[in-house]
Amino acid sequence: MVTITIDSVKLEVDENENVLEAALKNGIYIPHLCHHPDLPENASCRMCVVEVEGKDEIVTSCDLKPVEGMVINTKSERANKLRTLALELMLSGHPEDCSTCPKYGDCELQTLIQYVGANNARMRTRTKGIKMNEDNPLLIHDMNRCVLCGRCVRACNKLRGVGVLDYRKKDLETYVGTLHDKLLTDSDCRFCTACAQVCPTGSIRDKVQLINADLKREEALIPCKGECPAHTDIPRYIRYVKEGNCDAAAAVVREKAPFPHTLGMICTQSCAKQCKRGEVSDAMSIREIKRYAAEHDSGKYWKGKGKQLPDTGKKVCVVGSGPAGLTAAYYLRKQGHAVTVKEALPTVGGMMSYGIPAYRLPRDIVAKEADVIANQGVKFETDTKVTDILGLKKEYDAILMAIGNHVGVRLPMEGNENEGVLLNIEFLRKASLGKPTGMGKKVIVLGGGNVAFDCARTAKRLGADEIHLACLEARDKMTADEEEIEQAIEEGIKIYPAQTFERITGDKVVTGVDFMNVKDFYFDENRKAIIEKEEGSQHHIDADTVIFATGQWADLSEEQGLELGKGNSIKVKEGSLSSSVDGIFAAGDVVYGTKSVIQAIASGRDAASEIDRYLGGDGDITEVLAPVEEVDGYIGKEEGFANLKAACKQIKPASERGNNFDVFDFGICDSDICGEASRCLQCDLRLQIHQPRLWTQYSDQKEA
């Protein structure tokens, strides 16, 4: 350490760091633009010039090493003049459009102008005339705004080791670009977007600007994590899989969700739909990577480990053992509460055991993951239907209603009570239990969501000769996963989008359904469905079975003492999961309607946190299971990286899967999983890069 004086302030500083960094760390602001704490210095902007006592020349503080006794003046007249001149030279070639600039309000150059007080009135202005490039995925290159600070070049070359960006020359103008001005996809760019992060002017910027997006910074930068309802750290577990450490990867998932294997089989992948990789080539196969980690997990980092607080003496009853209920029970037990789960059916799991067909989610997977929850100390009571909800308050300190939506909706249409009309949930439950479903040989499923396709594909496996599926939505608006639709078509199920259900025909016994084509279908401002039919398009399909798959309700009534909403949902207070009765909470589908397993898990976590606070805890259910490692941001160059396609899954052909409930999708094989994980853009690396610290944030601000 050495002692130096900056603007009359004595400082003890590290002799190995430069004067600029020493000043900034001690709250003394020296203007700078090309400097960035994560990048090597290049002293190009001349903003950080200072005077050193005993030296004739003005020096740049970013490449000045402190020496014992050094006296520095950052605000001398000479330094200020040189700084102003350097800045005005930059501004002479910079567009005068601050108020319309997408970087407005987040521009380091703009704040520097305010501090220095410079303008370009004294300089002859010029227009660079470089065409803005919007043809790259994720990024916009607008070299007219570039001030040649070189941050992006250093980030690409030194911080990331990719080496795509460098200085180029066109006519008399120097700019930053790729070799031969090729697109980033053709230049082996890794699309880490470090260049956009360090750019002070928006010359290189994200196509989705964070300042304008209705998102938190982390959610915008890492959309897969932000889109996941449980906010699982997806880039982290993908990185572990790439490294061959599936134990750590599975532990990362378990930090947020107790069902990694289940999610690896059936997650709806809202994360992958927002994956930035999808803007470059194919989105990451996030679900399949999670599945691979779960299937190769030994439990090294979580079995017998993790949080378990001392017993509190408080008792909680969870009614319903679906993903929301089991998740809440698991975390409440970890907080030290005694938890009993009451389930009306013979085994726990809810829709995971009785709704999602076994060919998609084998029952042994659900059972094994439920065993983890039981081993944590949660008590299960199956074949126990709760009818007296309020009566539970006599025995328990808190109650969570997580009963899901297990009652199918029968549309109010002619013939809906005919023999041969079935309801989605009841049909799937009977199929799961191996009971007779009442299904015939010619089946029509009404509905276009995942549950409708589960019904249709289950009917196929139960031996139906013909299966038709019709829905109101147009083909591109169907809510089922594209994968479900395509696989159903492969299995011989006929799809009829954009159809109205006019009537179920037959005198007491189903003989078919009359349909009309939909010309237009939308919801008005009151969420009322507006359906415009195509005139003269009436047609009929013969059938002996009709399965309604158009929604589900909860098995509840007002007489049970809770205030209910639409579809028998439990009304909860705004910003809470507390019901109309003190001490009774609700979570999962029974609150917000039928959604997904991962959404239910997130709701269960929220419920556990809120109930813990209600019982006197701090509500903090977070835990770290996987090892925390320093991630190396030097990712290097990879030839053809942008064009890498998603790994193919191993799937049995339709001819081998349509007559049984065996698993037919085996995910990504061992030889391909590392390559798939390696396609990740590692968006989280950007969070390692320091945010700019502007002059107003320093204690030594410019005097008024």
Side-chain angles (χ1 to χ4, degrees):
M1 300 292 287
V2 296
T3 302
I4 63 173
T5 302
I6 302 179
D7 295 339
S8 302
V9 178
K10 279 194 174 184
L11 302 173
E12 290 280 328
V13 302
D14 186 343
E15 60 189 310
N16 295 313
E17 66 184 1
N18 62 55
V19 168
L20 175 59
E21 268 298 313
L24 298 176
K25 284 182 180 179
N26 284 279
I28 298 174
Y29 179 71
I30 299 176
H32 56 276
L33 193 62
C34 65
H35 166 79
H36 190 283
D38 301 313
L39 303 174
E41 305 291 357
N42 71 353
S44 65
C45 71
R46 307 291 293 175
M47 287 291 98
C48 68
V49 291
V50 297
E51 274 199 273
V52 180
E53 193 174 280
K55 287 191 176 185
D56 292 333
E57 73 276 11
I58 294 287
V59 296
T60 49
S61 58
C62 66
D63 59 1
L64 175 65
K65 293 294 183 182
V67 176
E68 180 67 38
M70 181 181 279
V71 178
I72 299 159
N73 185 354
T74 73
K75 301 175 182 178
S76 71
E77 186 178 350
R78 278 206 304 162
N80 285 336
K81 280 184 176 180
L82 280 174
R83 193 176 290 139
T84 302
L85 177 62
L87 185 54
E88 289 178 346
L89 283 169
M90 284 186 222
L91 293 176
S92 68
H94 192 78
E96 292 186 81
D97 61 350
C98 279
S99 61
T100 60
C101 175
K103 192 78 171 175
Y104 183 71
D106 190 35
C107 175
E108 293 177 63
L109 180 63
Q110 184 185 27
T111 61
L112 197 60
I113 294 168
Q114 293 168 355
Y115 184 90
V116 175
N119 62 68
N120 63 355
R122 292 191 302 157
M123 299 292 173
R124 181 178 178 181
T125 59
R126 71 186 195 280
T127 302
K128 295 178 183 176
I130 302 173
K131 184 180 178 183
M132 184 166 65
N133 187 344
E134 298 182 81
D135 296 332
N136 289 305
L138 303 178
L139 295 168
I140 292 173
H141 281 211
D142 183 3
M143 289 301 121
N144 295 300
R145 302 181 189 281
C146 182
V147 292
L148 295 176
C149 68
R151 284 190 189 178
C152 57
V153 175
R154 285 173 282 155
C156 186
N157 288 268
K158 303 297 184 182
L159 187 66
R160 293 288 180 257
V162 178
V164 168
L165 298 179
D166 208 343
Y167 297 104
R168 307 289 171 198
K169 202 150 193 173
K170 185 175 183 180
D171 299 328
L172 297 176
E173 290 290 350
T174 301
Y175 66 99
V176 173
T178 61
L179 183 63
H180 305 309
D181 289 328
K182 292 191 293 186
L183 290 174
L184 294 176
T185 49
D186 300 325
S187 304
D188 301 327
C189 176
R190 297 292 297 271
F191 292 95
C192 66
T193 67
C195 53
Q197 180 61 36
V198 300
C199 179
T201 65
S203 179
I204 299 179
R205 61 185 183 269
D206 301 291
K207 283 188 173 178
V208 178
Q209 284 295 292
L210 307 191
I211 195 170
N212 296 323
D214 188 23
L215 296 169
K216 294 179 181 177
R217 180 171 180 267
E218 184 173 343
E219 291 174 345
L221 291 179
I222 317 173
C224 59
K225 183 178 179 180
E227 194 67 21
C228 174
H231 301 299
T232 312
D233 196 342
I234 293 166
R236 186 170 166 227
Y237 75 69
I238 288 178
R239 191 176 290 113
Y240 273 129
V241 170
K242 180 180 70 174
E243 295 169 358
N245 192 349
C246 288
D247 285 333
V252 171
V253 181
R254 282 192 171 275
E255 290 175 355
K256 295 292 186 180
F259 301 102
H261 202 169
T262 294
L263 291 170
M265 299 295 292
I266 51 83
C267 190
T268 51
Q269 293 200 99
S270 55
C271 51
K273 291 166 187 166
Q274 298 299 321
C275 175
K276 288 184 180 178
R277 212 345 162 161
E279 298 292 318
V280 181
S281 59
D282 296 333
M284 294 296 298
S285 303
I286 298 173
R287 180 179 62 204
E288 284 69 31
I289 293 172
K290 185 193 292 108
R291 173 180 175 176
Y292 188 89
E295 289 176 345
H296 294 79
D297 174 32
S298 71
K300 173 182 176 181
Y301 293 109
W302 61 268
K303 280 187 179 178
K305 300 173 184 176
K307 180 190 289 187
Q308 179 54 64
L309 299 183
D311 289 348
T312 63
K314 301 291 186 179
K315 295 170 65 179
V316 181
C317 180
V318 176
V319 183
S321 70
L326 289 180
T327 298
Y330 183 59
Y331 289 109
L332 284 166
R333 178 66 203 122
K334 282 175 167 280
Q335 295 299 104
H337 309 303
V339 185
T340 299
V341 176
K342 295 182 183 290
E343 170 55 55
L345 292 166
T347 57
V348 299
M351 288 296 182
M352 297 186 296
S353 296
Y354 296 101
I356 300 169
Y359 61 82
R360 289 180 57 206
L361 179 58
R363 302 304 180 234
D364 63 319
I365 290 176
V366 180
K368 285 178 182 177
E369 296 192 317
D371 283 345
V372 173
I373 296 169
N375 292 337
Q376 195 68 35
V378 175
K379 182 182 177 183
F380 294 158
E381 293 181 3
T382 54
D383 288 315
T384 306
K385 185 175 176 62
V386 173
T387 55
D388 183 8
I389 299 169
L390 300 185
L392 293 172
K393 287 174 63 68
K394 298 173 185 176
E395 185 180 352
Y396 297 96
D397 299 292
I399 298 127
L400 175 65
M401 298 297 296
I403 62 172
N405 290 335
H406 286 258
V407 178
V409 175
R410 192 183 299 265
L411 291 180
M413 58 187 290
E414 183 181 333
N416 67 356
E417 296 287 352
N418 282 359
E419 183 182 338
V421 173
L422 309 177
L423 299 179
N424 48 5
I425 300 306
E426 184 180 348
F427 171 73
L428 291 171
R429 185 187 307 126
K430 286 180 177 178
S432 292
L433 291 168
K435 294 181 178 180
T437 62
M439 182 194 79
K441 289 296 183 182
K442 293 184 177 181
V443 178
I444 297 176
V445 178
L446 303 180
N450 284 332
V451 175
F453 279 88
D454 285 343
C455 290
R457 299 177 73 184
T458 294
K460 174 72 175 177
R461 285 157 174 78
L462 290 176
D465 293 333
E466 286 183 23
I467 302 129
H468 309 265
L469 184 147
C471 63
L472 273 170
E473 296 84 2
R475 175 65 178 82
D476 61 340
K477 301 293 184 184
M478 291 172 69
T479 58
D481 295 341
E482 187 61 31
E483 182 180 61
E484 282 284 305
I485 299 171
E486 291 176 358
Q487 289 177 359
I489 293 171
E490 290 171 3
E491 291 168 10
I493 295 163
K494 297 176 182 177
I495 312 297
Y496 304 87
Q499 301 292 307
T500 64
F501 318 143
E502 296 297 308
R503 66 190 59 80
I504 297 172
T505 60
D507 183 13
K508 297 184 180 179
V509 177
V510 170
T511 60
V513 178
D514 287 344
F515 298 97
M516 287 187 71
N517 295 341
V518 174
K519 188 176 180 181
D520 197 10
F521 169 46
Y522 60 94
F523 291 92
D524 66 13
E525 62 275 9
N526 299 315
R527 296 301 297 164
K528 180 182 177 182
I530 306 298
I531 303 168
E532 188 178 340
K533 302 177 185 179
E534 185 180 312
E535 195 173 330
S537 64
Q538 298 91 341
H539 55 282
H540 175 85
I541 298 176
D542 289 333
D544 54 24
T545 305
V546 172
I547 302 175
F548 280 120
T550 51
Q552 296 110 252
W553 283 12
D555 186 11
L556 286 171
S557 66
E558 294 278 4
E559 288 72 30
Q560 290 171 294
L562 299 178
E563 186 179 355
L564 303 182
K566 185 178 179 181
N568 284 353
S569 62
I570 296 175
K571 277 193 174 181
V572 294
K573 296 172 184 175
E574 188 175 352
S576 168
L577 290 173
S578 177
S579 76
S580 57
V581 178
D582 181 58
I584 299 181
F585 301 80
D589 288 0
V590 75
V591 174
Y592 48 66
T594 304
K595 289 193 178 178
S596 63
V597 170
I598 187 61
Q599 185 75 46
I601 288 170
S603 183
R605 285 181 58 88
D606 291 342
S609 181
E610 186 172 350
I611 292 170
D612 181 55
R613 289 194 300 272
Y614 175 81
L615 296 176
D618 60 8
D620 182 9
I621 63 171
T622 60
E623 59 183 342
V624 177
L625 300 172
V628 178
E629 295 182 348
E630 185 80 24
V631 180
D632 185 5
Y634 196 86
I635 55 180
K637 196 165 186 173
E638 183 175 337
E639 188 174 346
F641 177 80
N643 299 315
L644 294 173
K645 299 295 183 182
C648 294
K649 298 192 294 180
Q650 302 175 84
I651 297 178
K652 281 185 180 179
S655 59
E656 296 179 20
R657 68 183 192 239
N659 62 354
N660 60 77
F661 285 85
D662 297 339
V663 172
F664 65 86
D665 182 343
F666 299 100
I668 298 173
C669 67
D670 294 345
S671 59
D672 290 337
I673 194 66
C674 181
E676 178 59 29
S678 297
R679 293 196 314 116
C680 181
L681 303 184
Q682 303 184 72
C683 301
D684 60 330
L685 290 178
R686 190 157 158 183
L687 295 178
Q688 294 180 346
I689 301 174
H690 286 82
Q691 287 273 78
R693 193 177 173 198
L694 307 179
W695 64 267
T696 52
Q697 299 169 272
Y698 288 84
S699 59
D700 182 46
Q701 295 179 15
K702 182 182 179 184
E703 295 87 355

